[in-house]
Amino acid sequence: MKRIVTLLAATLLVVGSGSVKAQEDVNIGRQNIQLSSDLMTPEALWAMGRIGGYAASPDGTKIVYQVGYYSVKHNKSHHVLYIMNSDGTGQQKLTTGSKNETDAAWLPDGRIAFLTGGEVWAMNADGSGRKQLSNTGGEVEGFKFSPDGKKVVLLKSIPFYDIIQKNPEDLPKASGRLVTDLMYRHWDHYVESIQHPFVCSVSGDIIAKTMVDILEGEPYECPMEPFGGIEQLDWSTDSKQVAYTCRKKTGLDYSISTDSDIYLYDVESGKTKNLCKPEGYVEPKIEPTVSMKYQAVNALENLKNNVGYDQNPKFSPDGRYVAWLSMERNGYEADRQRLCCYDLQTGEKTYLTEDFDSNVDDFCWSDNPKDALIYYIGVWHATENLYAVTLGKPSKGKSQLSTAKTVQLSNECADWGSLQLMNNGRQLLMERHSFIEPADLYLVTPNTKKAEQTVALQITQENKQILDKLAKPKVESRWVKTTDGGNMLYWIIQPPHFDPSKKYPTLLFCEGGPQSPVSQFWSYRWNFMIMASQGYVVIAPNRHGLPGFGQQWLEEISGDWTGQCMSDYLTAIDDAAEHLPYVDKNSLGAVGASFGGFSVYYLAGIHEKRFKCFIAHDGAFNLASMYTETEENWFSNWEYDEAYWHSPQMPNAKKTYDNSPHKMVEKWDTPILCIHGEKDYRICYTQGMSAFNAARMKGIEAQLLIFPDENHWVLKPQNGILWQRTYFNWLNRWLH
C-alpha cells in the first residue's frame, strides 16, 4: 500500500479576500500538497524553491537572499527576498506582496536595495521603511551602487536599429523586420534593443533622473548578450571609476567573434581606457567562414592582446588591481578561462591560474594577501571545488604576482557555485548543489595552510521539508579506458530503494555544450534524481570534450564531433552493461540535449541495436543547415573548421559534414522522441522537426514535442511538467 507524503510546495496563496483577479495579483509561496510515494515526481521538482542571488551585510551579521517559487496551476513564478543571521538563524521573509523582488544588495547605511517593477527600492533590514529610489518609468534592469553610496550604475535597454531597421511611422501595425546584417536575433529574441549602463548620482533617498550613458553614442551592448548581468561591471574602491565588459563589434563582425574587453571608465572625466589592448591596436583581417584557429588574429604574437572572451572585472580591496575572467583565443567560446590580473599602477597583466588546467568559473578577492590573493571555483574530475591563489616568495626581476600558485581548499562530491567574501575577511558565502541536493547557502572558512581543515557550514535548508520525505538515489563514479587509451570517469546514479539483485533499465546521458562539464549539477529538467526515482540507472560519461580533465582532453572534440566522443559514449554504456550486474543491457536508452541531442541523432545511426529508444532535445540534426541558421557563427566556425560550401574542404570540415546525422537516417531503426522550442535561435526548431519527419517517413515510431514559446530551455512551469511527463512516458513505453 502506498503511503501519502505531505510536501511543502510552491503553490498559490491568495492575496487579500476573495478570488484572484489576475495573474499579476498572485503571490506564489509555500503550501502543503500531497504525493503518493517517497519518490521524486515532476510536481515535487517544480515545487522546490530555487535560491538565487545573495549578499552579506556591511557588518557581516546578516545575509539577504532571493528564492524563486513556481506555480504550475498559474504557470508563473514569484521571486521573493529573505533575510537571516549569518549563521543561518532568524530567517525572515521580507517580501510580502505579489510583485517580484530581486537583486538585493546592501547599502553603506545598512539598508537593503532591491529591484521591483523596474525600479530600485530600499528598505530597512527588517523589511520596514520601503522607499522607491529611482523613477525611470519601470526601465531599470539591474543596478550596482558605488562603495560610498553616492552613485549608482543602472542598466537600461535603449532602442537599437543598426541591424533591424525601424519601420515607417505610418505603418505602426506592420510586423515585418527589414534586416541588414547578422546578429539580428540572439538566443530567443530579435535584437531591437541593447542594454547600456548609466551612471546616476544618489542624494539621500533619491536617484537623480539625470544620468550619463557610459556607452553614449556607441552601438554596443553592456552587459553582453545573452546571459550577462551586473556582474560584468564593477566600481573601483574609491567610487571614481567603473570597469565594464564589452564586445565592441556589431553585425557580421560580432557574429564571428568572441573578442570582448575590459574597459575602465572615469566617472569625472568621462574618459575610457581599454585594459586588454594597447592604444591604437588594429585587429588583423578575419575571414568570416574559416575557423579563427588558423588565422592571424590568434597568432602567438597577437594573443598578448587578450583577443578572446574577457569579462566580469573585480577590483582588489586596496584598489590597485582589477582581475577578470579571460580566454586566450578569439572565436573559441570554450577556451580555458583564466584569472587575469591588471596592475593599475604599472599596466602589467598577469595570469594567475596557469597551473590550473581547467576553467575558473567565479572568483572573489581576499582582503589578506598573506593568506590568499583570490579565491575561486573550478571543475576538476567532474566536481566543482574551491581553490585559492596564494603568493609565493618574490623572485628577482619578477613581480610578486608572477609567483602566484593554486591551492585546492575543498574536495567534495558536489559543485560549489558563486562565492563572495564575508566582511570579516575570514569566511566565504557560497552556494552548493549536487545530483541529489538543490542549491543551498554555506558559510565556508577556508584554510590555505591545511586544506583539510577548511570548514563549510550549511546555513539554508530551503527544500528540507521536501527532501526529507524523498528517498535518495546513490551516486558512484567509475573510471574506464577509452578506445584511444585515455581514462574516462563516468557517473552512475542508482534508483532509490536500490536492489543490487534486480535488473534496471538504464539511460545513457549525453551532455551538451559540447564542452559543458558533467559535474555534480542540479537541473530542473535534466535532473538525475528524478530519472533514478522513476526506476532508471543513469550512466553519465565525462567524454572527450569536457572540462576538468585538462585542456587537451577538452579540445579533442573540436572538428571531431563524430569520432572519439561517440566512441566514449559507447565505451561507457558497454562497460556498464558488462560490469554492473544490475544494468539491463536489453533495456537501454540514450538521451540528451543540444550537443547531447546531436549525439542522440548520431548514435541512432551507429548504435548497432544497443538501445531500445532515444530522446533528443534541441539537438543539431543537419550540420550544414545549422552552420548558417545559428546566430553565434563563431561556434560553428571553430567546431566545424569552415563553411560547408568551401571546396576543397579541410579534413575536419569534410568529416563533420559527411557524418552529419541527417546523412545517417538510412541506418535508423529505433523509436525516437524529438523535442524542440520554436524560439530556440541557437539550434533552430527546424532541426528537431526534420529529425522527426525523417523518422516517420522511414516508418520508425517517433514523437515530436514542439514548444512555440520556449527557447533552448523549457522555462514555463506547465511546459516543464509536460516535458517531464512526455519524457518518462516515452521511456516507460520502450524500456519497461
Side-chain angles (χ1 to χ4, degrees):
M1 181 178 179
K2 295 182 179 179
R3 62 190 180 92
I4 301 296
V5 179
T6 301
L7 302 181
L8 198 62
T11 55
L12 175 68
L13 292 180
V14 178
V15 181
S17 60
S19 61
V20 176
K21 294 178 293 183
Q23 286 195 4
E24 288 72 24
D25 298 323
V26 174
N27 181 358
I28 302 166
R30 296 168 173 166
Q31 189 77 322
N32 288 331
I33 65 171
Q34 292 183 337
L35 293 181
S36 59
S37 77
D38 63 353
L39 300 177
M40 174 78 85
T41 65
E43 290 76 14
L45 188 63
W46 277 88
M48 291 182 174
R50 308 183 189 185
I51 291 180
Y54 46 89
S57 62
D59 63 7
T61 63
K62 301 284 186 182
I63 294 170
V64 62
Y65 65 100
Q66 178 182 324
V67 182
Y69 298 108
Y70 291 77
S71 167
V72 174
K73 178 179 179 180
H74 292 272
N75 205 33
K76 65 173 300 184
S77 62
H78 187 210
H79 296 271
V80 303
L81 299 177
Y82 286 89
I83 194 168
M84 63 182 174
N85 298 323
S86 59
D87 62 1
T89 63
Q91 184 190 87
Q92 175 191 349
K93 185 179 177 183
L94 298 175
T95 302
T96 57
S98 60
K99 290 185 177 180
N100 289 328
E101 295 182 347
T102 63
D103 300 74
W106 291 88
L107 296 173
D109 62 9
R111 291 185 300 163
I112 298 169
F114 61 98
L115 196 62
T116 185
E119 301 291 357
V120 181
W121 286 63
M123 61 181 165
N124 297 324
D126 62 0
S128 65
R130 290 169 174 259
K131 293 184 179 180
Q132 183 175 331
L133 306 186
S134 66
N135 189 1
T136 66
E139 295 180 344
V140 181
E141 297 167 346
F143 68 91
K144 181 171 283 189
F145 281 86
S146 60
D148 63 9
K150 296 179 180 179
K151 293 179 281 292
V152 65
V153 168
L154 301 182
L155 300 182
K156 291 177 37 177
S157 289
I158 63 173
F160 181 69
Y161 296 117
D162 282 32
I163 306 298
I164 300 176
Q165 301 301 294
K166 186 177 182 180
N167 283 341
E169 297 290 344
D170 63 336
L171 301 175
K173 295 184 179 181
S175 61
R177 293 179 172 97
L178 179 60
V179 178
T180 60
D181 207 342
L182 296 187
M183 288 314 298
Y184 51 91
R185 59 183 193 176
H186 209 163
W187 188 250
D188 62 1
H189 61 279
Y190 283 85
V191 183
E192 296 173 288
S193 65
I194 56 175
Q195 278 192 333
H196 271 199
F198 295 80
V199 174
C200 306
S201 61
V202 181
S203 178
D205 285 333
I206 299 175
I207 295 175
K209 290 187 177 181
T210 302
M211 54 184 65
V212 177
D213 185 349
I214 291 178
L215 291 171
E216 178 67 37
E218 297 187 63
Y220 313 119
E221 64 193 19
C222 175
M224 297 189 300
E225 291 267 31
F227 307 124
I230 199 66
E231 75 283 349
Q232 294 197 345
L233 302 95
D234 196 34
W235 281 97
S236 62
T237 52
D238 62 6
S239 302
K240 294 180 179 180
Q241 296 174 310
V242 177
Y244 68 91
T245 308
C246 192
R247 175 168 40 202
K248 296 198 172 182
K249 298 174 182 289
T250 62
L252 172 64
D253 292 339
Y254 182 116
S255 77
I256 61 173
S257 175
T258 59
D259 185 7
S260 60
D261 292 326
I262 304 301
Y263 295 85
L264 193 64
Y265 173 81
D266 185 271
V267 174
E268 188 171 321
S269 68
K271 294 182 179 179
T272 297
K273 178 182 179 180
N274 188 331
L275 300 185
C276 292
K277 293 179 173 59
E279 188 174 353
Y281 171 79
V282 177
E283 182 178 78
K285 181 177 175 57
I286 295 173
E287 163 55 48
T289 61
V290 176
S291 173
M292 289 191 195
K293 69 182 77 163
Y294 306 115
Q295 302 195 47
V297 69
N298 283 324
L300 185 61
E301 64 272 14
N302 199 49
L303 294 181
K304 65 180 182 294
N305 296 311
N306 292 68
V307 298
Y309 267 131
D310 292 277
Q311 58 185 327
N312 300 4
K314 296 181 183 180
F315 285 89
S316 62
D318 62 5
R320 176 170 176 173
Y321 303 103
V322 180
W324 64 81
L325 302 177
S326 177
M327 293 186 185
E328 187 174 47
R329 290 165 286 183
N330 196 349
Y332 188 24
E333 68 173 12
D335 207 354
R336 184 165 65 95
Q337 194 158 250
R338 310 159 295 167
L339 267 178
C340 181
C341 187
Y342 183 93
D343 189 330
L344 292 167
Q345 291 183 11
T346 67
E348 181 182 12
K349 287 184 295 190
T350 306
Y351 298 94
L352 303 178
T353 54
E354 294 300 83
D355 59 343
F356 183 64
D357 198 13
S358 191
N359 294 327
V360 175
D361 292 319
D362 192 23
F363 72 97
C364 70
W365 284 91
S366 165
D367 64 359
N368 181 10
K370 294 181 180 179
D371 186 40
L373 182 68
I374 287 176
Y375 297 105
Y376 71 89
I377 54 173
V379 171
W380 188 252
H381 285 183
T383 58
E384 182 117 9
N385 272 289
L386 175 65
Y387 298 84
V389 173
T390 62
L391 295 179
K393 295 181 181 179
S395 57
K396 187 176 181 180
K398 294 184 178 181
S399 73
Q400 192 176 11
L401 292 183
S402 66
T403 67
K405 62 179 181 179
T406 287
V407 177
Q408 184 170 349
L409 300 181
S410 71
N411 186 22
E412 300 189 42
C413 188
D415 279 3
W416 289 102
S418 57
L419 72 168
Q420 56 186 264
L421 186 71
M422 294 289 289
N423 291 297
N424 59 21
R426 300 186 305 275
Q427 294 173 304
L428 300 168
L429 180 57
M430 302 182 68
E431 173 262 314
R432 197 187 84 157
H433 52 264
S434 71
F435 289 156
I436 59 175
E437 296 173 318
D440 269 308
L441 298 182
Y442 286 73
L443 204 58
V444 178
T445 305
N447 190 322
T448 58
K449 303 297 188 295
K450 296 182 178 180
E452 68 276 7
Q453 295 182 11
T454 293
V455 177
L457 172 68
Q458 185 173 351
I459 56 175
T460 64
Q461 298 185 62
E462 173 58 34
N463 295 295
K464 175 178 171 59
Q465 298 91 338
I466 295 177
L467 295 171
D468 282 353
K469 304 298 191 297
L470 295 176
K472 307 299 190 299
K474 182 180 179 182
V475 178
E476 297 179 346
S477 62
R478 179 177 169 86
W479 290 84
V480 63
K481 281 287 183 184
T482 56
T483 57
D484 66 345
N487 294 307
M488 177 174 63
L489 180 152
Y490 69 83
W491 294 109
I492 307 160
I493 302 91
Q494 299 168 351
H497 309 302
F498 178 69
D499 181 351
S501 67
K502 290 178 57 178
K503 292 283 189 181
Y504 290 89
T506 299
L507 304 178
L508 173 68
F509 172 75
C510 302
E511 178 59 271
Q515 295 100 341
S516 300
V518 182
S519 56
Q520 285 282 316
F521 62 81
W522 175 271
S523 169
Y524 284 93
R525 187 168 60 261
W526 293 95
N527 184 283
F528 291 164
M529 182 171 173
I530 195 173
M531 294 181 201
S533 296
Q534 301 301 309
Y536 297 96
V537 171
V538 181
I539 303 299
N542 280 268
R543 52 155 173 80
H544 280 74
L546 271 59
F549 299 88
Q551 195 67 10
Q552 180 179 345
W553 178 275
L554 181 140
E555 294 198 7
E556 286 178 358
I557 196 171
S558 296
D560 190 33
W561 278 20
T562 59
Q564 187 57 51
C565 64
M566 295 298 164
S567 296
D568 291 349
Y569 285 137
L570 298 179
T571 293
I573 197 64
D574 288 349
D575 181 79
E578 180 181 357
H579 295 289
L580 305 180
Y582 49 83
V583 168
D584 186 351
K585 64 181 180 181
N586 296 313
S587 294
L588 304 179
V591 302
S594 196
F595 179 84
F598 161 85
S599 301
V600 167
Y601 289 143
Y602 185 76
L603 289 173
I606 68 165
H607 71 111
E608 296 179 341
K609 301 190 182 299
R610 284 177 175 86
F611 300 105
K612 292 296 186 290
C613 72
F614 294 102
I615 300 178
H617 173 106
D618 286 358
F621 174 68
N622 183 329
L623 297 185
S625 63
M626 183 183 161
Y627 181 85
T628 49
E629 285 178 352
T630 191
E631 86 279 39
E632 293 183 345
N633 296 103
W634 66 76
F635 173 78
S636 297
N637 271 342
W638 193 278
E639 294 301 314
Y640 303 175
D641 268 7
E642 61 180 333
Y644 64 85
W645 57 81
H646 285 189
S647 181
Q649 288 183 331
M650 288 184 273
N652 281 345
K654 179 173 174 53
K655 177 182 178 181
T656 296
Y657 294 119
D658 285 351
N659 290 341
S660 176
H662 79 285
K663 295 186 176 182
M664 310 286 288
V665 173
E666 182 57 35
K667 298 179 181 178
W668 283 17
D669 58 7
T670 303
I672 189 166
L673 167 63
C674 308
I675 308 174
H676 226 106
E678 289 190 30
K679 295 183 72 175
D680 183 356
Y681 301 154
R682 185 61 40 84
I683 300 177
C684 291
Y685 72 95
T686 51
Q687 298 277 318
M689 292 176 66
S690 295
F692 167 75
N693 292 353
R696 289 303 301 129
M697 292 177 73
K698 196 171 182 297
I700 295 171
E701 289 278 357
Q703 289 183 353
L704 172 67
L705 178 59
I706 191 82
F707 293 103
D709 54 348
E710 298 286 6
N711 55 35
H712 202 58
W713 300 331
V714 178
L715 303 177
K716 296 178 174 62
Q718 290 193 15
N719 283 342
I721 296 289
L722 177 61
W723 190 98
Q724 295 281 5
R725 290 180 183 175
T726 305
Y727 179 92
F728 288 117
N729 285 342
W730 186 255
L731 294 178
N732 293 341
R733 177 179 173 184
W734 301 105
L735 300 185
H736 279 285

